[in-house]
């Protein structure tokens, strides 16, 4: 069976093995065109899984593209959500969606999110992207089928590196315990993950033995031999009645089909440029069959429309204040994460420092620890994609006097392991540094699953934890230096992926737990020179019109807002760089409230981690009881992220300087209006004096 | 080797197998005396592991009780922290601490916490209690030993049910990957866990095969045959050089040594009463060797001193207002969790409802779903101790139209699985209900690891999530009814363990997202009758002196505070039952701020989940810009919990009505003083009118 008309239960289309091979080549081509148009994504894994995808979507699985929620359909779950483009071409080739639309991949508002979202695209069974959860969803789905007396299969596509996640083994156990012989796990064993060969990052072999010992049937096959693939899938389907779930281990090649991508770990999270695309399409023999120029044009057209929509939504001022759009106020850009790597490279010389890798070591710069210092490799522990265990292991290292550093995307570094952070690290009060990378929506096209917008809630809430969110790469360097070597106890540092303005120098003060005040002095050629920064404790009130309390890369946005407010309204702004969120510099907040009466918080996070604490500090202060103060909050408004370009998302999620300035102007106007009203009311009194 | 003088490296004491048997019997006895004195704890597992404990602490492990941090010592990690009393008797018999002190187990301020805390007791290597983390700590410790060139062993004691935690399999992988042949995992295979036989709750067999397939050496032995135990441990020690970690699977009997406890799952989390203790000591042949009467007296003396200390710390008023200490204002007590079970028992008739068990199903009352309805067993899925997978599986069930309910202690239900809740449930916007049980310090003697004090930070922070914290068992019932059948989307309900006052009836309004106002009308025989409750939207301002916004069992405390404030100061209090934390009833908060100017929040949680949001709602409101308002916050002050009796902890952590009243009195005084001052300042104005 395969593509079905669910009304008549007849097969609409089936494919021979030869046809499937052709389809797979075409699917690889469309996949690469979409990736090229997106400018980011995962070429390696989408190519390794493509033959299995073709067999599954076009020949083995029963489904009806006209009726994507047909109850009797086979479910296909993509646990490794980063292979979404393969899923999308699978759906497109089966008829669920239009092949031509695939080039909107990873663009703002597109149904083709960086990681699949079932609410955006019919045919997607679940929203995935955080590894290791899909097989559990499959277990739930299979249990539901059993309850409802349905005979559908539940396929779940996983990676081999993904097998490092403990979550998987819980699901493996459960599928066997419940004798879910309708569950078919497919492992795309391409032997490479981001940090290198799976066997070096964290060995998972022998996978077949492991699955068997957990009570599964195992079928091994060449994942690129279409006949073997189809046979393996059909054999797994026939295992129904065995009382055992089936694992198909497909031996594959990462980057399969494109000579210069094959077996190269670097192509995990990389996409072809135009020349590489053309070369790839030729190698695949599909250059003539795919209208790639027209498709790339279509992508450009979509992108133009996105930009128009976004622009229409932005607050408008008398001129364009966007980063580096005028000849003055030029800002140099560098990702905050770089400061982390620089610090590790330097401070790694301390023999107590050990670093734990979680398979995305390059992009979060933790690998700088050893990059120029091969002798430190003995203090580098690759732990695989296993956040829970690495976190508790860090506690074990700290118990022995080491200074462990642990890092991954903040969505994983502060959530998959929250209880391990709580119990093993914070309750034990261990000297562990956790780096939460890729904080905020500015992560960009990876989308919601990879954009940490809630991590600070949990981290600020833990006793014994300290939390620092530096404003630029220079400050990240200083913060890492301090936290790593001087601060005793658990610590969380959060930084971002995208290049953001450098707004400090090595001379700028950085004192843990003490905010800085930043004041616009006059427009300047270079953005950084337009401002004066000092330690808040040293700052003397200038009766500014408002204060903006910001952290992380929202500090440069707050500074730019100060510029807009000065230019457009003549308002003076006290920008407060609240780099330390825990412990919070309450004194500086109270002073700002007293002096300026309008306090706006700015965080690239769900509103609250900073906003709520600042508001509470002010309104719970007896000294400010009868001082009229209002707070405003800029941040993400209780919604999940989205795919898109980093700076587009800053606009879409209303966390730009323009949004700060707009809100600030309204609140300062309110203040002035109310104070005038009060003064009018008090006039008789005043005239008496 | 064994107990060593680390200075001279000589053996201080070693034991023959016969002597070890005697010691194990005595250790069982002291263990049971401590448990009896504590009145809570885990008899079953401490008895099953005791022979291994005796062999390890008295004969196999090298350590020096006089120098507990001796660098060369063998480390012993107790991953299953609930077996803490066995660890404590192990330490006491090896000379690390005093046998006589063991009877302070689980009492307030005792070093013998319900789950072990290394900062409180020398010889404890790590703070554990949340299952499945210990082996990872062992991996970290072993890596440190290797780095530092030490040859010590790292033992890790685990349970068999605990093998359901995916965290364990991550650690198993890592230990093999790093060829940590100094790691020795010991599995106390007593075949029972809280919910029943391990093979039924979630099968983990064949454990030996599973460990071997993950690259470990495996030794199986009878965990109660002392000779076999000693041999197995010594053989594991000799495996150094093999390049493989060793697992010792000790076949044991839960409750071993006491006939009426053996092989009975019910004795997992149960302790002997006095008669059972005496009977047990006789069976163990140690009745004459342990001065149990004197020890129990010592425990009583310690407890008296605890109560004296606590009493001295409490705010004092003209009389005692504590629950049910006078003839009036009598409150009926019932744990909030009961309302959850009652709702499931009733609403489980809806065929869409499915419940997922996580091995503590009785105490959190989720098992009421099927308790009186055996026909529902097909919709009951025991998932074992595997929070991550159960959470994602719930998403899979919801995807298919089911109404899954998932519950465990809130420390695990909202932390171990945070990313699964975020991605699989909230991002997918699935109709899953998560029950976070045992919220707050009133969990009692289990201590910090089991007291959820941070769960609401994470849960309130998630987009699409709704959060309800009902005030009593009656409201828990209503909230569960509503959330389960009427609310579409992810939902988190939090309830408590201890019996707390019933303050509502079936007639009391409960509207999701809408607070209730509760007003003290007059003292009454029954507490509940002294108050009038209505929907906040219907309530008309009475110009009260203050408002208290509370959730969960802090609502009755707030009501009692209202009583104290009326009696002692003549103050009128608007008590607001903010049962829904997300979405928050902002309108009711703003009205309270405007009408009463003093708003105190009360939460049995780290201060902030409620306090910060309430403060932010008020101070960010333009309508209240020039209205003087102050907020106060009652809650846990950024510290971890502790062992102790539930109501003692309410006092120790300053979350009682007395603490609310004390803070309220101070803030109302401040308000009155400031308003008087303002009135004086305005006098000339007023005289003009």
């Amino acid at each position: 069976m395969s593509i079905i008309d669910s009304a008549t239960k007849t097969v609409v289309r089936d494919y021979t093995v030869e046809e499937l091979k052709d389809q797979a080549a075409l699917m690889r081509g469309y996949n690469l065109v979409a990736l090229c148009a997106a400018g980011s994504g995962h070429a390696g894994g989408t190519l390794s899984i493509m033959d299995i995808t073709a067999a599954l979507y076009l020949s083995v699985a029963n489904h009806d593209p006209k009726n994507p929620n047909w109850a009797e359909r086979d479910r296909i779950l993509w646990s490794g959500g980063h292979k979404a483009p393969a899923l999308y071409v699978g759906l497109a080739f089966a008829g669920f969606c239009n092949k031509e639309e695939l080039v909107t991949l990873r663009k703002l508002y597109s149904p083709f999110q960086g990681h699949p979202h079932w609410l955006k695209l019919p045919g997607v069974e679940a929203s995935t992207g955080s590894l290791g959860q899909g097989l559990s969803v499959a277990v739930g789905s299979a249990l539901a089928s059993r309850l409802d007396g349905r005979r559908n299969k539940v396929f779940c596509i996983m990676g081999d590196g993904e097998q490092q996640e403990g979550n998987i083994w819980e699901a493996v156990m459960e599928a066997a315990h419940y004798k879910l012989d309708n569950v078919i796990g497919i492992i795309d064993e391409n032997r490479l993950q981001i940090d290198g060969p799976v066997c070096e990052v964290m060995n998972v072999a022998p996978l077949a033995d492991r699955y068997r010992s957990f009570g599964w049937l195992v079928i091994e096959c060449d994942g690129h031999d279409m006949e073997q693939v189809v046979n393996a899938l059909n054999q797994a389907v026939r295992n129904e009645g065995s009382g055992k779930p089936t694992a198909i281990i497909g031996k594959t090649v990462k980057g399969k089909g494109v000579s210069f991508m094959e077996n190269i770990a670097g192509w995990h999270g990389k996409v072809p440029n135009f020349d590489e695309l053309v070369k790839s399409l030729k190698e695949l023999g599909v250059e003539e069959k795919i209208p790639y120029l027209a498709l790339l044009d279509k992508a450009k057209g979509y992108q133009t429309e996105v930009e128009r929509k976004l622009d229409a939504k932005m607050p408008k001022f008398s001129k364009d204040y966007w980063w580096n759009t005028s000849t003055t106020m030029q800002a140099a850009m560098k990702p905050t994460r770089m400061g982390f790597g620089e610090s590790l490279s330097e401070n790694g010389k301390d023999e107590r420092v050990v670093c734990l890798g979680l398979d995305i070591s390059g992009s979060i710069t933790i690998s700088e620890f050893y990059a120029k210092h091969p002798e430190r490799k003995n203090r580098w522990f690759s732990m695989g994609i296993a956040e829970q265990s690495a976190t508790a292991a860090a506690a074990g290292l700290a118990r022995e006097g080491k200074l462990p550093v642990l890092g991954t995307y903040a969505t994983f570094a502060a959530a998959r392991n929250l209880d391990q952070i709580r119990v093993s690290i914070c309750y034990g009060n261990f000297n562990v540094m956790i780096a939460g990378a890729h904080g905020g929506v500015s992560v960009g096209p990876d989308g919601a699953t990879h954009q940490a917008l809630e991590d600070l809630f949990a981290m600020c809430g833990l006793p014994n934890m300290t939390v620092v969110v530096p404003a630029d790469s220079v400050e990240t360097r200083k913060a890492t230096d301090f936290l790593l070597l001087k601060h005793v106890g658990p610590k969380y540092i959060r930084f971002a992926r995208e290049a953001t303005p450098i707004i400090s120098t090595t001379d700028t003060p950085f004192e843990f737990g003490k905010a800085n005040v930043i004041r616009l002095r006059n427009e300047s050629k270079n953005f950084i020179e337009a401002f004066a920064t000092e330690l808040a404790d040293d700052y003397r009130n200038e009766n500014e019109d408002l204060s903006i309390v910001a952290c992380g890369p929202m500090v440069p946005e707050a500074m730019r807002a100060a510029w807009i407010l000065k230019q457009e309204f003549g308002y003076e702004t006290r920008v407060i760089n609240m780099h330390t969120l825990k412990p919070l510099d309450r004194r500086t907040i109270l002073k700002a409230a007293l002096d300026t009466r309008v306090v706006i918080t700015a965080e690239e996070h769900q509103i609250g981690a900073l906003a709520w604490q600042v508001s509470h500090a002010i309104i719970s202060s007896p000294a400010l009881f009868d001082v009229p103060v209002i707070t405003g909050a800029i941040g993400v408004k209780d919604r999940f992220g989205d795919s898109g370009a980093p700076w587009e998302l800053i606009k879409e999620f209303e966390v730009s300087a323009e949004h700060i300035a707009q809100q600030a102007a309204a609140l300062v106007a309110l203040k002035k209006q109310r104070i005038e009203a009060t003064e009018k009311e008090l006039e008789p009194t005043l005239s008496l004096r």
Side-chain angles (χ1 to χ4, degrees), chain A residues 300-564:
Chain A
K300 276 187 199 136
Y302 179 90
Q303 179 60 26
T304 306
E305 181 58 16
V306 160
E307 285 164 20
R308 197 196 55 74
K309 271 190 203 161
L310 256 186
D311 191 57
K313 286 161 107 177
M314 285 293 284
K316 298 290 184 299
F317 299 102
S318 67
K319 62 169 210 166
D320 186 356
Y321 292 92
W322 194 255
W323 293 111
N324 296 340
T325 49
S326 64
T327 51
T328 63
M329 300 294 262
Q330 288 283 313
M333 300 279 196
K334 189 175 175 181
T336 48
R337 59 192 158 117
M338 297 301 178
F340 177 67
E342 289 161 15
S343 177
L344 292 181
S345 180
E346 171 65 21
N347 297 314
K349 68 186 174 212
D350 187 316
E351 291 283 335
R352 295 170 303 168
V353 177
V354 296
C355 288
L356 290 86
L358 290 166
D359 194 39
I360 32 182
S361 306
S363 80
I364 73 158
T365 78
I366 195 172
S367 56
E368 292 301 303
F369 168 70
Y370 67 79
K372 292 182 198 131
H373 308 276
E375 76 283 3
R376 295 182 192 163
K377 263 283 192 178
N378 69 324
R379 288 186 279 129
W380 168 263
F381 300 113
S382 168
M383 304 299 266
I385 312 167
E387 298 82 1
Q388 299 185 94
S389 188
T391 303
L397 284 155
R399 176 70 171 91
E400 304 295 341
K402 303 299 173 195
L403 298 176
V405 183
L406 170 79
T408 176
Y409 296 166
T411 41
F412 316 138
R416 287 197 84 110
N417 53 352
L418 178 56
D419 193 49
Q420 284 77 11
I421 298 177
R422 177 179 183 269
V423 174
S424 287
I425 292 178
C426 287
Y427 183 44
N429 200 21
F430 286 122
N431 219 346
V432 173
M433 183 162 182
I434 299 170
H438 286 43
V441 287
S442 58
V443 166
D446 272 353
T449 52
H450 286 55
Q451 293 163 356
L453 299 177
E454 300 86 19
D455 53 313
L456 295 172
F457 286 131
M459 292 299 101
C460 289
L462 289 168
N464 294 342
M465 182 61 101
T466 55
V467 178
V468 176
V469 186
D472 68 3
S473 61
V474 179
E475 194 168 86
T476 306
R477 167 71 198 264
K478 291 176 199 166
T480 310
D481 290 353
F482 174 83
L483 291 173
L484 183 61
L485 298 182
K486 300 207 173 128
H487 179 78
V488 177
K491 41 234 164 184
Y492 180 72
I493 186 167
R494 185 197 207 224
F495 40 83
R497 178 184 178 282
E498 181 65 8
T500 50
I502 296 178
I503 51 101
S504 68
T505 69
T506 49
D507 293 335
T508 310
F510 172 82
E511 210 175 297
F512 172 75
K514 295 278 183 193
N516 282 347
V517 167
I518 305 175
R519 292 280 287 118
L520 174 70
R521 291 310 177 193
N522 26 39
E523 259 199 37
S524 181
K525 184 165 187 307
N526 293 315
F527 188 81
I528 191 171
E529 287 159 10
F531 295 84
T533 301
E534 56 187 313
L535 207 60
D537 280 356
D538 300 335
Y539 181 70
R540 291 178 58 182
N541 179 22
E542 296 183 22
N543 288 311
E544 299 92 329
D545 296 284
L546 78 152
S547 303
I548 305 174
V549 182
C551 63
M554 289 305 287
V555 174
E557 292 300 324
M559 292 164 71
R560 195 160 63 82
W563 177 39
I564 299 173

Side-chain angles (χ1 to χ4, degrees), chain A residues 150-378:
Chain A
R150 284 193 306 267
R151 307 233 359 214
N152 66 285
K153 301 287 168 287
V154 184
F155 298 93
C156 178
I157 297 171
M158 299 173 277
D160 50 351
E162 193 180 1
Q163 306 297 314
Q164 293 153 359
E165 282 287 8
N167 189 156
I168 296 240
W169 296 96
E170 293 180 359
V172 169
M173 236 177 273
E174 289 160 3
H177 184 78
Y178 282 106
K179 305 186 195 309
L180 297 175
D181 51 17
N182 52 342
V183 166
I184 299 167
I186 299 168
I187 297 154
D188 177 17
E189 194 183 52
N190 61 30
R191 303 179 319 283
L192 288 176
Q193 57 191 116
I194 303 177
D195 276 3
V198 175
C199 60
E200 292 173 19
V201 174
M202 180 53 61
N203 180 45
V204 300
L207 266 186
D209 286 356
R210 292 187 184 185
Y211 269 84
R212 280 191 201 104
S213 76
F214 274 71
W216 285 49
L217 296 172
V218 177
I219 302 169
E220 296 179 89
C221 73
D222 177 341
H224 301 306
D225 179 320
M226 194 58 81
E227 193 154 355
Q228 283 194 35
V229 169
V230 172
N231 287 342
L233 287 166
N234 284 326
Q235 189 188 331
V237 167
R238 286 192 304 270
N239 277 341
E240 187 177 340
S242 67
K244 289 184 172 194
T246 305
I248 297 175
I249 301 176
K251 315 236 172 247
T252 59
V253 170
K254 205 152 185 169
K256 178 70 182 182
V258 180
S259 60
F260 55 93
M261 296 182 187
E262 286 188 1
N263 283 319
I264 293 170
W267 278 95
H268 171 94
K270 208 175 133 183
V271 297
N273 60 26
F274 181 77
D275 292 344
E276 290 164 336
L277 173 66
V278 177
K279 208 173 149 199
S280 305
L281 296 178
K282 279 185 188 159
E283 283 196 17
L284 290 164
V286 296
E287 191 203 4
E288 305 294 322
K289 296 176 191 156
I290 299 175
Y292 58 93
L293 289 173
L295 290 171
L296 292 175
D297 267 354
K298 189 180 171 71
K300 276 187 199 136
Y302 179 90
Q303 179 60 26
T304 306
E305 181 58 16
V306 160
E307 285 164 20
R308 197 196 55 74
K309 271 190 203 161
L310 256 186
D311 191 57
K313 286 161 107 177
M314 285 293 284
K316 298 290 184 299
F317 299 102
S318 67
K319 62 169 210 166
D320 186 356
Y321 292 92
W322 194 255
W323 293 111
N324 296 340
T325 49
S326 64
T327 51
T328 63
M329 300 294 262
Q330 288 283 313
M333 300 279 196
K334 189 175 175 181
T336 48
R337 59 192 158 117
M338 297 301 178
F340 177 67
E342 289 161 15
S343 177
L344 292 181
S345 180
E346 171 65 21
N347 297 314
K349 68 186 174 212
D350 187 316
E351 291 283 335
R352 295 170 303 168
V353 177
V354 296
C355 288
L356 290 86
L358 290 166
D359 194 39
I360 32 182
S361 306
S363 80
I364 73 158
T365 78
I366 195 172
S367 56
E368 292 301 303
F369 168 70
Y370 67 79
K372 292 182 198 131
H373 308 276
E375 76 283 3
R376 295 182 192 163
K377 263 283 192 178
N378 69 324

Side-chain angles (χ1 to χ4, degrees), chain A residues 678-679 681-689:
Chain A
T678 313
E679 273 165 8
E681 200 179 305
L682 289 178
E683 257 168 30
T685 325
L686 296 170
S687 63
L688 278 178
R689 281 178 188 168

